Amino acid sequence: MRKASVEWGALHRRCAVGVVAGVAVLGVAAGPVVWAGSQDLPGDRRWWLVVCGVALVAAVGASLPLLRRVAAVEYVAAVVALVLLLVLALGTVFAAAQAAYGVRTRLHEPPGVTATVTGCRTTGRELDDQNVGRDIYGCTYHWSADGREFSEERPTGKLYPDGHETRVWLAGGRMITGRPSLLGIPLWIALALAGLVGTVRFSAALAWKAREVGLRR
């Protein structure tokens, strides 16, 4: 290992450990929020967000003594690397949640109900592969379950007249207008596995870099 360009003291190494711990706690606390949010699961996630905020503040605070020993460019590069690591890890959680949802929905047929749609409108516009513009539509779905009335706005393929009836499925706390594609399940699984491998390898690369510069023995 080549000699480190900066001599680090015990305080700086403890600060580096604090940064790693803060980022790790932030990732662990944000994981359930990403999972539940991607599945539209009900529940109060404020405490998870509070933990995320505290971990972020702790990580930033622990990094300040390191900033005084390195150039601003190196500090920013390290921050960007940690942000990318978090994005990769949380992307893995998102892909795993989608894969789990697809498998669960395919294995267990969710209950279906009849819903009526109202208020269909154009919600946006997008380009297809040939750069041809097409409108994006959305309608408000109304349905009842267990004696309770529900409504939710979802995208649709076209503008339906008010009162149009269609079938929707209820999976947990979610309403879905169609079952997940069989092709989508292996895709999400592959993305989750790739994200997991990428997260582990990226973490190892950052650990090696920390050792190379002398922050980790």
Side-chain angles (χ1 to χ4, degrees), residues 1-18:
M1 182 179 71
R2 66 183 179 84
K3 183 178 176 59
S5 59
V6 178
E7 293 296 330
W8 303 102
L11 172 63
H12 299 107
R13 292 191 174 90
R14 285 196 292 269
C15 288
V17 172

Side-chain angles (χ1 to χ4, degrees), residues 165-184:
E165 291 191 350
T166 184
R167 190 162 184 80
V168 299
W169 290 265
L170 309 178
R174 306 181 63 185
M175 182 204 80
I176 55 177
T177 55
R179 300 182 67 192
S181 168
L182 281 174
L183 295 177

Side-chain angles (χ1 to χ4, degrees), residues 153-173:
E153 184 173 333
R154 284 297 176 91
T156 59
K158 64 178 183 178
L159 296 177
Y160 295 108
D162 285 356
H164 173 78
E165 291 191 350
T166 184
R167 190 162 184 80
V168 299
W169 290 265
L170 309 178

Side-chain angles (χ1 to χ4, degrees), residues 26 66 82 166 175:
L26 174 58
L66 304 177
L82 291 175
T166 184
M175 182 204 80

Side-chain angles (χ1 to χ4, degrees), residues 190-205:
L191 288 175
L193 291 176
L196 177 61
V197 172
T199 300
V200 172
R201 296 195 64 175
F202 197 10
S203 299

Side-chain angles (χ1 to χ4, degrees), residues 14 21 25 28 60 62 86 93 143 145 147 149 153 155 157 163 182:
R14 285 196 292 269
V25 172
V28 170
V60 172
L86 273 175
V93 172
W143 74 95
E149 299 293 327
E153 184 173 333
L182 281 174

